[in-house]
Structures are given as C-alpha cells and as structure tokens.
Amino acid sequence: MSKLHISYNQIHKLISATVDKYQFVENFKPDLIVAIGGGGFIPARILRTFLKSASDRKNIPIQAIGLNLYEELPTHQDSDEEGVPEKPGQVVQKTQWLNFGGSDSLVSLLGRRILIVDEVDDTRKTLAYAVDELRKDIIKQEELRGMKPGESNTQIGIFVIHNKNKEKLGVLPEDVMAHYYPAANMDDVWLVYPWDAIDIDTHTEKAENKQ
Ligand SMILES: O=P(O)(O)OC[C@H]1O[C@H](OP(=O)(O)OP(=O)(O)O)[C@H](O)[C@@H]1O
Ligand SMILES: Nc1nc2[nH]cnc2c(=O)[nH]1
C-alpha cells in the first residue's frame, strides 16, 4: 500500500482552514470535545485553539476515550522503517471511556453539542462504534433523569483531519452525518502521521515533498 507523510504544519493549517470553511462554530456550536485516542488527541487540542479564537469563548473541554482497531503488521526484525501500514482488526477495543452517571460523575452529556475528534476516518468502524456507545450513554443519562430517549436533544458531530474516499464498513446515523466535518478527503493510501515519527526532520521533509 502506498504511503503519504503528513507534517505537523500541514495538520495545523488544515485544521485552521476547516474551522473557517465549515463555520462550524456558528453551525454546530460544539461545547464538548470527545477525542478518540491516541490519534485524536493532538488534533483535538489544535482544534480547540481555533474554536476558541473563532467563537471568542472560553476553552471547550476535551474528554478522552481510547479505542483501538488496528494491529501492527509483522516487520523484519532488522527493519527500521517508520509508518508501516497496519491492518484493521475485527472488533474495536474499548480501552478508556467517559466517567459519568454515578455520584462521582464528571461528565454530563445531556443537552450538549458533542464533537467527536479523530485523525482519520478509514473504514469508519471506529467512528461508528464511538457514536453507538456515546448514544447508549446519552440514553442511560436520559433514563436516569426520567427523560424519554432523545428528549435531551443532545447532538453529536464529527471532525476528522482525513477522510478516505472508499467503501465504509461502519455506518453513521443521518443526524450525525449532517454534522460531519472532514478537513480533507483523501485517496486510500496509508497516512503516516508526525507523532509516529522517530526522525521528525526526515518525516517533515517527506511530507513537504508530498511523499
Ligand atoms: O476508520 P477506521 O478503519 O476505524 O480507522 C480509524 C482509526 O484507526 C486509528 O486508530 P488505531 O486503532 O490505529 O489506534 P491509535 O489511534 O491509538 O493509533 C485512528 O486513530 C482511528 O481511530
Ligand atoms: N496512521 C494511520 N492510522 C490509520 N488507521 C486507519 N487508517 C490509518 C492511516 O492511514 N494511517
């Protein structure tokens, strides 16, 4: 599978341009970011900078969840190659989730405009899983408050740096797709992100040369 290196600068500028392009501070008005780790953490933090600057409001809180689908492919032991493509596993593994519901609850989801952030939408399995689980939590919280499902009018939107143009294995509900904001739409190549680089200078050079 061919690869494309992406630099920190390219990511930063893409995120900035996307906030302007979709005007989603005005259109979606996110008030809670849920970052899918590990790849969603750095984009979420950069995005928060531009959301704050566009809305002139205080920082939007970022909550973290951990989901894992991809497995490393075996490489030669003496290989020092970076950014080796991985293959998707069968099921998404939940390694970390939101803390809510009990008396020690940290996050109320009800009535929020939740923006899920990840770096890449590939097969879409991870995003579909995240939305599904989040919706279950919203319904649980509504039940706890004696509300019917959907009564709290909690909204979910999605921001990704890269969406790959390909057949998707995961399906997102229509109301979520209405607030789906990819910074860039890409061919189906393996994207090598700067946080996976061992040698960041070589990585950045390749990214600048569109390699
Ligand atoms: O659209 P999909 O095919 O579901 O792939 C997208 C997911 O794959 C990567 O996660 P990974 O499982 O590699 O975990 P990581 O973020 O910790 O690297 C990436 O961060 C997305 O969450
Ligand atoms: N780094 C990286 N992780 C992924 N997870 C799913 N697709 C990709 C990709 O193209 N690059």
Side-chain angles (χ1 to χ4, degrees):
M1 183 185 235
S2 59
K3 295 195 279 188
L4 181 66
H5 290 72
I6 312 288
S7 73
Y8 282 116
N9 265 20
Q10 288 167 342
I11 289 171
H12 209 94
K13 286 179 183 172
L14 252 180
I15 293 177
S16 164
T18 307
V19 171
D20 290 343
K21 177 172 147 196
Y22 293 115
Q23 302 234 308
F24 66 83
V25 170
E26 295 81 357
N27 292 334
F28 185 62
K29 300 187 183 70
D31 60 9
L32 176 65
I33 291 174
V34 171
I36 304 180
F41 291 165
I42 295 174
R45 178 58 187 85
I46 297 172
L47 179 65
R48 194 181 73 174
T49 295
F50 292 105
L51 291 179
K52 186 180 182 191
S53 135
S55 67
D56 218 19
R57 289 179 36 202
K58 58 183 190 324
N59 275 324
I60 297 170
I62 301 177
Q63 293 287 329
I65 59 175
L67 300 178
N68 224 278
L69 176 63
Y70 283 73
E71 299 159 3
E72 280 183 23
L73 291 169
T75 49
H76 295 296
Q77 276 199 324
D78 56 355
S79 163
D80 60 356
E81 198 187 348
E82 293 166 24
V84 178
E86 298 175 3
K87 69 171 173 54
Q90 287 305 309
V91 288
V92 178
Q93 311 276 351
K94 198 193 233 183
T95 56
Q96 185 185 338
W97 198 251
L98 303 170
N99 173 353
F100 79 90
S103 54
D104 60 344
S105 174
L106 293 180
V107 194
S108 169
L109 300 173
L110 299 190
R112 305 298 284 263
R113 308 186 62 82
I114 304 164
L115 190 62
I116 297 176
V117 176
D118 209 349
E119 89 280 35
V120 59
D121 175 359
D122 190 318
T123 65
R124 196 164 278 171
K125 269 186 163 187
T126 303
L127 285 170
Y129 180 91
V131 168
D132 232 46
E133 291 296 297
L134 208 51
R135 287 188 138 191
K136 284 188 213 159
D137 283 357
I138 292 164
I139 291 172
K140 263 193 239 160
Q141 286 195 353
E142 286 173 332
E143 274 171 2
L144 278 170
R145 305 231 177 141
M147 293 177 168
K148 293 193 202 88
E151 202 180 329
S152 66
N153 196 27
T154 308
Q155 304 279 318
I156 299 176
I158 291 175
F159 173 87
V160 289
I161 306 173
H162 297 115
N163 170 44
K164 293 193 192 175
N165 293 319
K166 64 191 286 184
E167 197 185 325
K168 302 293 187 182
L169 300 177
V171 179
L172 294 169
E174 258 177 48
D175 60 309
V176 176
M177 280 310 285
H179 295 290
Y180 176 76
Y181 307 105
N185 292 296
M186 311 293 285
D187 290 339
D188 189 12
V189 297
W190 186 257
L191 301 166
V192 187
Y193 288 100
W195 41 85
D196 283 326
I198 305 294
D199 178 346
I200 192 64
D201 292 331
T202 308
H203 178 103
T204 307
E205 228 170 84
K206 285 184 182 168
E208 280 164 6
N209 292 322
K210 300 198 168 22
Q211 290 179 314

